[in-house]
């Protein structure tokens, strides 16, 4: 016999016992996005590699090391999407969604990165993201941060910390990059191999290092904030003013940068201390040069992406496992009882929205069927025995409470169950 095939490392199954958290996250997000005027967009998981190498930047870890890329049968390089923003921009350009009124879009789904699997980090993971195009002011930044804040509230997630920073415009960033590079070069004997390599390819990314020794060195490094021009400074001040006005708590982290090349001005992350090392649950920023990098006329944008696995883990820690039990299990014994049961179940499910009703399959004695009903976790057994079928009735047995068994006329059952579900 063949041995069973296992899944690919870092690509996890999401099992029914967890699905409740995923559904809660996704349905809440859908509502909050809609309340802010964001429309959903659904995109292919596979794109031409250029969408990401141009859009994200070939010097980034994501593109240089983490992409699942392969040649199609006709020799064209394709990649599984490692993130959503580049594809949204590709689609927005292709479908004429830009260059008009402000456009608000959101997306969700699996992303793929060839990283070392560990807690909070997998090779297939899921993101929900929002993108806002056509507004370059701090009011648009505020809208994005308010959207995130309202989502955490709606999910009941307290204790997320918002960190913000400003990267300035492209010129200011480039000038700072040179200074930082010079600083890192001057201290290169204090840097490990990996950080040195990073400094060569993408010095800003060194600011992001988790290594305590590198962080200690960075305390002496030149600060981005000191390299911002008046306009950039004003933009950031205005955003902080708005946040204060709305009472949204934040911390300015002068060393916060994003891994991707296209960010400018406002960047931000929400993090938690409850997940260990992988504590960032949502990250984003302004990307006013991305549309141009993708081949369009310049057009401003800002957005974020959240890691669903990490948020689901927070919801699980907060709410615990709440299994969803069926309301009722249909027990049917006796000649032709199966037909009556199938017909009744068919009818009840149509007539009672939200009803979770299990039919008995594989026959079995009364005893066997009650055992299955009990195991299913159902609250009620709806019983069709020979007497009930002869009299046009149905018996109701309460499986989780001491309430006494009832017998109802078949015509009463729909209303009774409706009222019962409303009462629980
Ligand atoms: P990290 O610093 O954790 O590697 P990142 O900067 O690579 O994050 P982004 O590209 O900004 O992450 O993605 C946004 C969010 O998506 C992250 O904050 C995280 O919650 C989630 N995420 C990113 N990579 C993974 C992964 N491999 N597994 C699970 N979640 C992930
Ligand atoms: Mg990463």
């Amino acid at each position: 016999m063949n041995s069973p095939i296992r899944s690919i490392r870092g690509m996890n199954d999401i099992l029914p016992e967890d699905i409740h958290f995923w559904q809660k996250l996704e349905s809440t997000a859908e509502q909050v996005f809609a309340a802010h005027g964001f429309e959903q967009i659904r995109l292919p998981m596979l794109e031409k590699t250029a969408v990401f190498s141009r859009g994200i930047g070939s010097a980034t870890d994501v593109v240089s090391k983490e992409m699942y890329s392969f040649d199609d049968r006709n020799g064209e390089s394709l990649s599984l999407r490692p993130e959503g923003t580049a594809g949204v921009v590709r689609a927005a350009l292709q479908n004429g969604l830009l260059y008009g009124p402000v456009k608000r879009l959101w997306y969700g789904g699996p992303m793929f990165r060839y990283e070392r699997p560990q807690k909070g980090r997998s090779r297939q993971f899921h993101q929900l993201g929002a993108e806002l195009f056509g507004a370059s002011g701090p009011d648009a930044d505020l809208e994005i941060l308010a959207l995130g804040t309202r989502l955490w509230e709606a999910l009941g997630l307290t204790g997320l910390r918002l960190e913000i920073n400003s990267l300035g415009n492209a010129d200011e960033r480039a000038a700072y990059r040179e200074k930082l590079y010079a600083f890192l070069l001057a201290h290169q004997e204090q840097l490990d191999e990996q950080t040195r390599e990073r400094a060569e390819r993408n010095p800003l990314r060194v600011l992001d290092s988790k290594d305590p020794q590198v962080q200690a060195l960075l305390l002496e490094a030149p600060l981005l904030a000191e390299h911002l021009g008046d306009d950039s400074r004003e933009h950031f001040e205005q955003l902080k003013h708005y946040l204060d006005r709305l009472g949204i708590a934040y911390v300015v982290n002068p060393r916060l940068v994003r891994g991707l090349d296209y960010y400018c001005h406002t960047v931000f992350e929400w993090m938690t201390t409850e997940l260990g090392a992988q504590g960032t649950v949502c990250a984003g920023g302004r990307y006013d040069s991305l549309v141009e990098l993708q081949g369009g006329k310049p057009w401003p944008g800002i957005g974020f992406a959240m890691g669903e696995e990490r948020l689901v883990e927070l919801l699980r820690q907060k709410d615990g496992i709440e299994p969803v039990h069926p309301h009722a299990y249909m027990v049917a014994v006796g000649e032709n009882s199966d037909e009556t049961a199938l017909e009744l179940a068919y009818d009840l499910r149509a007539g009672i929205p939200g009803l979770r009703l299990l039919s008995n399959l594989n026959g079995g004695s009364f005893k066997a069927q009650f055992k299955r009903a009990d195991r299913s976790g159902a609250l009620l057994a709806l019983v069709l025995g020979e007497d009930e079928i002869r009299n046009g009735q149905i018996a109701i047995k309460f499986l989780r409470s001491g309430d006494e068994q009832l017998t109802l006329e078949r015509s009463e059952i729909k209303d009774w169950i409706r009222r019962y579900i409303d009462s629980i």
Side-chain angles (χ1 to χ4, degrees):
M1 218 168 70
N2 291 328
S3 55
I5 299 169
R6 299 187 57 86
S7 65
I8 301 167
R9 191 164 118 83
M11 307 222 174
N12 303 319
D13 303 314
I14 300 169
L15 298 177
E17 64 191 42
D18 276 338
I19 216 69
H20 159 76
F21 300 113
W22 288 84
Q23 288 172 341
K24 176 173 171 178
L25 170 59
E26 288 168 5
S27 62
T28 308
E30 208 171 312
Q31 282 167 21
V32 175
F33 286 142
H36 290 75
F38 283 70
E39 301 170 290
Q40 190 182 17
I41 185 166
R42 297 191 185 195
L43 301 171
M45 269 176 251
L46 203 54
E47 297 269 7
K48 294 181 185 171
T49 299
V51 168
F52 308 111
S53 52
R54 267 206 232 166
I56 302 175
S58 46
T60 58
D61 284 355
V62 170
V63 169
S64 64
K65 297 195 279 214
E66 298 175 359
M67 277 216 296
Y68 281 91
S69 301
F70 59 91
D71 286 347
D72 197 1
R73 286 176 194 276
N74 63 11
E76 182 166 39
S77 177
L78 305 180
S79 298
L80 282 168
R81 62 182 183 191
E83 56 104 54
T85 305
V88 172
V89 170
R90 195 270 308 139
L93 275 171
Q94 183 174 337
N95 296 286
L97 306 182
L98 304 180
Y99 310 121
V102 168
K103 194 83 198 162
R104 297 172 174 87
L105 300 171
W106 72 270
Y107 62 85
M111 307 292 161
F112 303 85
R113 297 185 194 176
Y114 192 80
E115 305 195 69
R116 192 168 70 79
Q118 55 196 287
K119 183 166 184 279
R121 197 177 286 292
S122 47
R123 290 181 172 173
Q124 175 175 325
F125 61 99
H126 297 76
Q127 287 184 336
L128 292 169
E131 317 288 358
L132 189 160
F133 294 100
S136 55
D139 51 346
D141 303 10
L142 188 276
E143 182 168 312
I144 285 286
L145 293 174
L147 170 66
T149 304
R150 284 293 186 231
L151 176 57
W152 317 137
E153 264 170 30
L155 290 167
L157 295 176
T158 52
L160 293 182
R161 169 186 163 105
L162 171 61
E163 292 192 354
I164 61 174
N165 192 21
S166 174
L167 302 180
N169 65 27
D171 293 341
E172 291 154 4
R173 218 178 83 147
Y176 172 71
R177 194 185 142 115
E178 290 309 312
K179 285 220 178 137
L180 181 65
Y181 177 67
F183 171 87
L184 293 170
L185 205 61
H187 295 82
Q188 61 170 319
E189 74 289 352
Q190 294 176 52
L191 302 174
D192 59 275
E193 181 64 36
Q194 197 197 358
T195 310
R196 233 178 283 168
E197 190 215 345
R198 249 190 198 171
E200 286 300 326
R201 280 195 303 142
N202 193 351
L204 285 184
R205 193 70 222 251
V206 175
L207 294 179
D208 211 13
S209 166
K210 311 239 157 39
D211 182 335
Q213 212 177 325
V214 176
Q215 278 303 330
L217 175 66
L218 287 173
L219 292 175
E220 297 155 35
L223 277 179
L224 230 169
E226 290 157 6
H227 295 77
L228 299 187
D230 290 345
D231 288 352
S232 297
R233 224 180 278 256
E234 174 56 23
H235 182 119
F236 197 46
E237 288 307 314
Q238 187 62 38
L239 172 62
K240 289 190 282 183
H241 170 73
Y242 286 142
L243 288 167
D244 291 336
R245 170 81 188 254
L246 270 62
I248 298 176
Y250 62 91
V251 177
V252 176
N253 173 356
R255 272 175 281 278
L256 177 69
V257 290
R258 304 286 315 126
L260 314 184
D261 275 351
Y262 49 62
Y263 287 106
C264 62
H265 294 290
T266 310
V267 291
F268 56 88
E269 287 189 8
W270 273 280
M271 24 223 180
T272 171
T273 51
E274 284 160 43
L275 294 177
Q278 315 308 333
T280 302
V281 294
C282 181
R286 177 164 282 290
Y287 47 79
D288 294 347
S289 56
L290 177 58
V291 174
E292 201 178 359
L293 279 173
Q294 293 272 39
K297 281 186 299 165
W299 198 238
I302 178 166
F304 61 58
M306 62 192 90
E308 291 194 70
E309 278 76 3
R310 296 181 194 178
L311 288 163
V312 160
E313 185 54 31
L314 285 181
L315 291 175
R316 192 202 329 265
Q317 286 180 15
K318 180 174 75 72
D319 295 342
I321 306 270
E322 275 178 39
V324 179
H325 292 301
H327 296 114
Y329 190 105
M330 183 86 74
V331 169
V333 176
E335 207 175 335
N336 299 331
S337 67
D338 53 343
E339 283 172 23
T340 313
L342 289 172
E343 189 187 13
L344 183 59
Y346 189 61
D347 195 32
L348 288 177
R349 290 191 190 107
I352 310 177
L355 171 66
R356 295 187 296 274
L357 171 62
L358 291 188
S359 295
N360 182 69
L361 298 179
N362 295 331
S365 64
F366 251 124
K367 194 168 157 214
Q369 293 192 35
F370 268 109
K371 202 162 160 187
R372 291 177 198 147
D374 199 46
R375 277 217 198 132
S376 76
L379 303 168
L380 306 173
L382 307 183
V383 187
L384 288 168
E386 272 162 21
D387 289 349
E388 285 82 11
I389 289 184
R390 195 175 330 107
N391 302 331
Q393 293 175 321
I394 184 158
I396 296 181
K397 199 164 150 57
F398 295 86
L399 298 172
R400 315 279 143 200
S401 73
D403 292 339
E404 200 138 321
Q405 179 166 330
L406 299 176
T407 302
L408 298 176
E409 299 304 316
R410 197 85 53 78
S411 59
E412 302 170 323
I413 181 74
K414 215 178 271 179
D415 280 340
W416 188 92
I417 295 182
R418 214 179 270 133
R419 267 182 276 118
Y420 175 80
I421 291 181
D422 283 345
S423 75
I424 54 174

